[in-house]
């Protein structure tokens, strides 16, 4: 069960990549506040319009082409478990007539999205 | 409001989706009946039914020696509503992204 949306941007793929990965750019359209460590296993934090806080982790970075990350509602103060379902989000870029096509896919997972995400493994390997 | 996270998790497994589909189509079935229609063992069907029941997607009633499972549609409706809201959120975000891109110095659109 995924949500898939597309838009064609009137800019070159390099500029489109920056628009979907640079925190300042992301703050212009995705969220009011964005922190993101743009590498597999990198942590992310968002504050959405309306104040909802989300935590996240980057799964995959294919420069210029694809960003995949997981995000979930940040646990309430004092809690360790997220207060809602997490999901996997991908931004995929492709050259298109008129500029660059951006395809967004958000696939909700269950409440244990973080535990189940593949990026749990790189951390374990790095710690070994 | 049901836990939509549990619903998505429950339906993320393709076999379990088949079980759910069969329960919904039959209007009520036992694990034995479902196993007869699916390429999985009765034991596997019973496990899937337990997950579906945990997510509120099916409920069980005693029927002779076995329990009969029937669909409970409300949690699925909640999950569908959640997905629709998600679509609306991305429509807004991508409109803002398009505006950001159109207003950027390297944009190909009108403003030169």
């Amino acid at each position: 069960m995924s949500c898939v949306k597309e838009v064609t941007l009137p800019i070159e793929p390099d500029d489109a990549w920056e628009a979907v990965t640079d925190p300042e750019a992301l703050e212009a359209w995705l969220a009011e506040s964005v922190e993101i460590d743009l590498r597999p296993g990198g942590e992310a934090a968002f504050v959405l319009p309306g104040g909802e806080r989300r935590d996240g982790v980057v799964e995959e970075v294919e420069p210029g082409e694809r960003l995949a990350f997981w995000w979930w509602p940040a646990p309430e103060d004092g809690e360790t478990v997220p207060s809602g379902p997490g999901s996997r989000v991908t931004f995929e870029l492709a050259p298109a007539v008129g500029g660059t096509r951006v395809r967004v896919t958000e696939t909700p997972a269950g409440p244990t999205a973080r535990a189940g995400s593949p990026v749990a493994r790189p951390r374990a390997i790095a710690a070994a | 409001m049901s836990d939509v996270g549990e619903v998505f998790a429950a339906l993320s497994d393709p076999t379990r989706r088949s079980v759910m589909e069969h329960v919904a189509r039959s209007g009520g079935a036992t694990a034995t009946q479902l196993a007869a229609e699916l390429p999985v063992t009765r034991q596997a069907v019973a496990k899937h039914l337990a997950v579906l029941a945990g997510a509120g997607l099916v409920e069980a009633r005693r029927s002779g020696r076995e329990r009969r499972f029937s669909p409970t549609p409300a949690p699925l409706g909640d999950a569908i509503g959640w997905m629709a809201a998600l679509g609306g959120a991305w429509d807004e975000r991508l409109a803002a992204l398009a505006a950001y891109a159109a207003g950027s110095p390297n944009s190909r659109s009108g403003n030169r």
Side-chain angles (χ1 to χ4, degrees):
Chain A
M1 292 172 73
S2 294
C3 172
V4 183
K5 297 282 182 179
E6 286 188 6
V7 66
T8 297
L9 304 179
I11 53 181
E12 298 297 318
D14 283 352
D15 294 321
W17 177 251
E18 179 156 346
V20 301
T21 55
D22 176 68
E24 275 194 40
L26 288 166
E27 287 174 358
W29 66 272
L30 177 64
E32 290 190 355
S33 159
V34 176
E35 291 168 35
I36 185 164
D37 178 359
L38 212 68
R39 38 189 187 157
E43 298 196 331
F46 308 86
V47 180
L48 299 184
E52 183 193 341
R53 309 186 87 86
R54 289 195 184 173
D55 291 339
V57 65
V58 173
E59 177 188 316
E60 190 188 334
V61 182
E62 193 74 58
E65 292 181 23
R66 181 166 55 255
L67 168 66
F69 64 93
W70 294 73
W71 66 354
W72 54 89
E76 309 283 322
D77 287 336
E79 301 289 322
T80 50
V81 178
S83 53
S87 26
R88 183 176 186 267
V89 178
T90 62
F91 298 151
E92 291 168 300
L93 274 52
V97 174
T100 307
R101 192 202 67 212
V102 176
R103 172 183 292 151
V104 177
T105 305
E106 180 161 4
T107 306
T112 54
R114 172 150 207 200
S117 78
V119 294
R121 270 189 294 126
R123 281 231 177 90
I125 292 168
Chain B
M1 163 88 135
S2 57
D3 185 337
V4 292
E6 289 220 42
V7 171
F8 290 125
L11 296 178
S12 63
D13 179 292
T15 308
R16 196 147 55 232
R17 279 202 296 276
S18 282
V19 171
M20 180 72 234
E21 210 181 318
H22 277 74
V23 170
R25 273 201 260 127
S26 71
T30 64
T32 303
Q33 287 168 339
L34 293 163
E37 293 172 33
L38 290 160
V40 285
T41 64
R42 188 194 170 284
Q43 188 179 24
V45 168
K47 283 186 178 158
H48 286 307
L49 287 169
V51 174
L52 292 170
L57 290 165
V58 301
E59 64 180 3
R61 215 163 296 171
R62 276 250 156 254
S63 166
R65 292 168 53 209
E66 278 199 72
R67 291 192 296 164
R68 177 167 294 273
F69 289 82
S70 50
T72 48
L76 189 56
D78 290 342
I80 289 170
W82 196 89
M83 285 294 286
L86 185 63
W90 281 109
D91 284 339
E92 282 188 29
R93 290 166 186 153
L94 292 186
L97 172 57
Y100 170 80
S104 76
N106 300 327
S107 157
R108 294 187 190 182
S109 70
N111 310 328
R112 292 213 184 178

